[in-house]
Amino acid sequence: MQPIDPLKNLNNPQRQAVTAGVGQTLVLAGPGSGKTRVLTQRIAYLIQHMGVRPENILSVTFTNKAAREMQHRLETLLPGQVQGIWLGTFHANCARILRREAEHLPFDRNFVIMDADDQLSIVRRAIKDLNLDDKTFRPTGIHAAISKAKNNLITANDFPSNGYREEVTRRIYQRYQQLLLASNGVDFDDLLLETVRLLVDNPAVRERYARRFEHVLVDEFQDTNLVQYELLKLLSSAHRNIFVVGDEDQSIYRWRGADYKNVLRFEEDFPQTQKILLEQNYRSTQTVLNAAQGVIERNKFRTPKRLFSDRGSGEVLTLYEAEDDKAEAEYVVETIRNAVTRSKTPAGNFAVMYRTNAQSRLLEESFLRVGMPYRLVGAQRFYGRREVKDVIAYLRLAHNPRDEVSLDRVINVPARGVGDKTILALKQAAQAAGKAPGETLMELGRPGSSKQQPGALAGRSEQVLAGFGMMLTRWTAAAEDNIPLPELFDRVVADTGYQDYLEDGSEEGNERWENVQELRRLAYEYTDLGLTAFLENLALVSDQDTLPDEALANAPTLLTLHAAKGLEFPQVFIIGLDDGLLPHARSKDDPEEMAEERRLLYVGITRAKDRVYLVRANRRSTFGGYDDQYPSPFLDDIPVELVKRQGQRRSGWDSSYRQSYRPKTWNVGTTGIHSTPPASSAPIIEQRYHPSDHVRHPIFGDGIVMDSRIQDSDEAVDVFFESVGFKRLAASLAKLEILPKPGK
């Protein structure tokens, strides 16, 4: 096959980006503007036109799926000429470096990468080891604090201890790291942090990699966090040829450390940066783009972009107001079903997006009621299923017998009579010998070993453990001999009797065994690559990587707005466009969080090729009742001529307590869709209520004002009532009495 010209089929800004000279280049790529094409054809251009050797190129992505797509495109552009490129995710490239440089690290090259469940298990163990209460120091919160610290380049010893809780968190962090090291393991964040520390602490190693990577290219740059940004600067420090592609308007992962301001820092750290805007969209109609731009233009700290499309204006957006959240779900399902049955539109053309996972429940129930299949993204991943994790744990032990987390998971699976006391005795014996429990198990499995073991492991306990130790010894020997992975897989399953354990005659048991067989099919793909590559791929796989592209054509897709990033669909529903859902209630007091909520809606709208449905509910079910809802303020920013309204807006309220709410009517303005009070209401222009005011409502009783602001010529007051909890009220109708503060 002949190479394909990397400058073929590019528009002018894309061509400018692909042919950029040496130095620093920042490409701000709007949604659907062909950023993957630019990135891959830039690599091909470096090789074909600038004479750069593939092994001198480092290209970093955020998902394995993106890396595979880029690899496929490169092989199409330059057949047989792209071997040697370092192309993969941040974590995969860091794992590769750490295994190569293990002599400089506190763990050896066979380190295991702990997944999210493993990490949480180790946090629990650390809390228990320190005799702390896991109800006071919740493992999920502690794990989040440790992860945040690592993403900000803070080690356990450097963790700030300005108060009691911070001091306890520091001690748990330290113990957590000790337990990781004892298992010869690292977590996801360690892959990045330890690589940065390696390069900072070892100038010769840093110089070697920086000299090797003559060109560093980065996808989704707006999603980098501090440790990733520092890593990129270190790896590009010799040649300073760094090419980054991103879009601050699509940065939606602040909660996991991503910082869109790295785009601004890049221009500060590299003042000679060439900045190129990709504004031509190849995905959406112009109407979809204009609506999205109306939402995003209110954000500060962004580079203005004028997205345009050659696909024509297209259909206006549909805004549907449902009576309640059940009707909201029913509208979505009925609209999709009618399009599929009457217009013969493929079911896979539709995606339904929402802010929180909990919003999927009513949708799922509605799809089930009409007998329509759907695909739920974000449900339990294949690799998170119990039986899959069990087999992976066995294989991890064969690869690294010191992996205590995997040992704890499967030492009694299937049940073989190993109770908590036996496990404790094993760990005590291992500690006394200065070894890992897995190593002690292997010693127990050797003939004559019982004479050398402590009394606590004598008798039946020693026999049971010895049997497991014999299996583990066989597996590790087979792994060291590099037997084909499928053969090792079959040996582990046969030795443990795992098939009989799963196939108990039930349908669930059969399905679980089918999942193990699916994992075995994946193992065949790693026959030549081996066990290490197989385990590393499983540890680094992401939710989007488990979403088969071909399956999207079979059913509507249900997913969160966060999960929608990088995907596209002909028709998109975005539900829950109520104030408190989108934007989320937790975000309203933080301008940065509010900006990210706006970016979430922008990302959702720009996933659509042809049509967008914006859906909300007038009221939502609570525990035993309903709460009335305000429309999302983001709706005000969409130009009114781009929206067609459907559904019914109630003119009044159906019970006495709802008289406290200000009924809204839709007013068509010149710039957007505005919700305003009825004409009879006198406008309120001065704020009367303030946070911490004590108030009394004629129905809800006493409460405390949490927030208040002038909105739509009225004062919107957020109050927490002792009787009913949080309520948002219109001051013109609520008849709130301000009470003297206690003690006055």
Side-chain angles (χ1 to χ4, degrees), residues 292-311:
Q293 289 195 156
V295 171
I296 202 63
E297 284 174 349
R298 293 286 300 275
N299 273 359
K300 301 177 181 179
F301 308 115
R302 59 179 294 270
T303 302
K305 292 179 285 292
R306 302 305 305 174
L307 303 181
F308 66 94
S309 170
D310 290 337
R311 294 197 57 221

Side-chain angles (χ1 to χ4, degrees), residues 7 10 16 113 138 197 271 281 295 332 373 405 407-408 413 440 462 496 565 574 595 609 633 682 690 692 696 706:
L7 301 181
L10 298 176
Q16 182 185 359
I113 303 171
R138 295 189 176 277
R197 293 180 64 190
N281 179 286
V295 171
V332 171
V405 171
L407 181 64
D408 286 343
V413 178
T440 300
E462 189 267 347
T496 57
K565 179 75 176 297
I574 303 176
K609 296 179 180 180
H690 300 86
S692 79
R696 178 169 293 156
M706 308 302 293

Side-chain angles (χ1 to χ4, degrees), residues 200-317:
V200 170
D201 296 342
N202 299 274
V205 176
R206 178 178 69 248
E207 185 71 9
R208 176 156 34 91
Y209 282 96
R211 288 290 174 194
R212 173 176 187 146
F213 299 132
E214 297 176 9
H215 289 267
V216 176
L217 301 96
V218 189
D219 191 14
E220 304 287 7
F221 183 66
Q222 78 281 346
D223 291 333
T224 54
N225 56 29
L226 179 60
V227 67
Q228 289 164 337
Y229 184 56
E230 290 300 316
L231 179 66
L232 293 172
K233 289 199 297 183
L234 290 167
L235 292 174
S236 63
S237 58
H239 299 282
R240 294 178 68 81
N241 294 327
I242 181 167
F243 182 99
V244 302
V245 181
D247 180 12
E248 63 265 66
D249 291 338
Q250 298 185 72
S251 179
I252 59 173
Y253 301 118
R254 185 171 184 260
W255 50 275
R256 68 184 188 197
D259 189 354
Y260 72 95
K261 291 182 180 178
N262 281 345
V263 174
L264 305 178
R265 294 189 183 100
F266 186 85
E267 294 186 80
E268 294 172 359
D269 291 338
F270 301 101
Q272 303 301 316
T273 293
Q274 177 183 7
K275 183 159 68 174
I276 301 168
L277 302 185
L278 302 184
E279 298 172 297
Q280 182 171 359
N281 179 286
Y282 293 92
R283 173 190 302 151
S284 307
T285 65
Q286 192 63 50
T287 296
V288 170
L289 297 179
N290 290 347
Q293 289 195 156
V295 171
I296 202 63
E297 284 174 349
R298 293 286 300 275
N299 273 359
K300 301 177 181 179
F301 308 115
R302 59 179 294 270
T303 302
K305 292 179 285 292
R306 302 305 305 174
L307 303 181
F308 66 94
S309 170
D310 290 337
R311 294 197 57 221
S313 58
E315 296 189 63
V316 298
L317 284 71

Side-chain angles (χ1 to χ4, degrees), residues 322-324 618-620 625-629 649-661 663 699:
E323 180 69 14
D324 55 33
N618 286 322
R619 59 180 192 161
R620 294 191 179 276
Y626 283 90
D627 274 349
D628 291 283
Q629 304 294 308
R649 181 67 185 176
R650 289 178 296 146
S651 59
W653 309 99
D654 56 3
S655 65
S656 59
Y657 80 85
R658 289 195 175 91
Q659 293 175 3
S660 301
Y661 286 85
I699 300 225

Side-chain angles (χ1 to χ4, degrees), residues 498-512:
Y498 201 75
Q499 181 176 359
D500 292 337
Y501 166 65
L502 291 180
E503 290 190 309
D504 56 0
S506 67
E507 187 64 26
E508 181 183 4
N510 293 335
E511 290 175 358
R512 290 186 180 279

Side-chain angles (χ1 to χ4, degrees), residues 362-663:
L362 291 175
L363 285 168
E364 292 184 71
E365 290 177 359
S366 292
F367 275 112
L368 291 171
R369 271 196 297 271
V370 301
M372 189 173 188
Y374 61 89
R375 171 166 292 275
L376 180 65
V377 178
Q380 186 182 36
R381 296 185 301 130
F382 175 80
Y383 299 106
R385 292 169 180 159
R386 188 193 76 195
E387 60 277 7
V388 174
K389 288 181 68 67
D390 284 347
V391 176
I392 291 173
Y394 279 123
L395 293 172
R396 280 179 25 171
L397 279 173
H399 179 256
N400 173 23
R402 291 170 56 193
D403 181 359
E404 192 170 341
V405 171
S406 293
L407 181 64
D408 286 343
R409 180 179 183 89
V410 296
I411 193 170
N412 198 42
V413 178
R416 51 179 64 91
V418 180
D420 291 342
K421 290 184 179 180
T422 302
I423 294 173
L424 178 61
L426 170 65
K427 292 184 176 182
Q428 289 174 341
Q431 186 176 13
K435 299 180 186 218
E439 294 170 323
T440 300
L441 266 179
M442 293 170 68
E443 288 187 0
L444 280 169
R446 297 189 186 114
S449 62
S450 59
K451 298 178 181 178
Q452 305 169 18
Q453 301 306 321
L457 291 180
R460 183 177 178 278
S461 295
E462 189 267 347
Q463 293 177 1
V464 172
L465 294 176
F468 192 97
M470 291 174 63
M471 290 192 299
L472 183 55
T473 300
R474 289 198 299 269
W475 302 339
T476 55
E480 290 172 358
D481 290 339
N482 293 316
I483 72 167
L485 180 56
E487 185 178 334
L488 175 61
F489 189 105
D490 291 344
R491 186 174 300 182
V492 166
V493 171
D495 285 352
T496 57
Y498 201 75
Q499 181 176 359
D500 292 337
Y501 166 65
L502 291 180
E503 290 190 309
D504 56 0
S506 67
E507 187 64 26
E508 181 183 4
N510 293 335
E511 290 175 358
R512 290 186 180 279
W513 175 242
E514 288 173 4
N515 290 333
V516 173
Q517 290 294 86
E518 181 62 29
L519 184 66
R520 185 176 184 271
R521 282 190 283 273
L522 179 63
Y524 264 100
E525 299 179 17
Y526 287 80
T527 301
D528 297 328
L529 296 175
L531 179 60
T532 299
F534 176 72
L535 294 176
E536 190 165 297
N537 177 70
L538 297 186
L540 299 177
V541 75
S542 70
D543 280 345
Q544 284 193 9
D545 295 324
T546 67
L547 183 63
D549 293 335
E550 63 275 11
L552 294 179
N554 301 329
T557 301
L558 280 57
L559 72 172
T560 66
L561 288 161
H562 284 102
K565 179 75 176 297
L567 303 176
E568 60 180 38
F569 304 87
Q571 301 193 45
V572 166
F573 290 79
I574 303 176
I575 69 168
L577 278 161
D578 303 325
D579 195 7
L581 270 179
L582 186 63
H584 197 280
R586 291 193 301 264
S587 306
K588 66 179 184 176
D589 294 327
D590 185 340
E592 287 286 0
E593 292 286 351
M594 282 294 289
E596 179 134 326
E597 295 291 300
R598 193 178 287 277
R599 292 193 293 269
L600 266 177
L601 180 55
Y602 175 79
V603 166
I605 293 174
T606 56
R607 299 309 94 195
K609 296 179 180 180
D610 305 318
R611 192 166 185 180
V612 175
Y613 296 82
L614 306 174
V615 191
R616 61 168 304 272
N618 286 322
R619 59 180 192 161
R620 294 191 179 276
S621 56
T622 56
F623 297 101
Y626 283 90
D627 274 349
D628 291 283
Q629 304 294 308
Y630 285 87
S632 169
F634 296 159
L635 292 172
D636 288 352
D637 302 317
I638 301 176
V640 67
E641 66 272 13
L642 302 181
V643 179
K644 173 180 64 178
R645 270 196 60 212
Q646 292 182 355
Q648 295 182 347
R649 181 67 185 176
R650 289 178 296 146
S651 59
W653 309 99
D654 56 3
S655 65
S656 59
Y657 80 85
R658 289 195 175 91
Q659 293 175 3
S660 301
Y661 286 85
R662 171 170 49 94

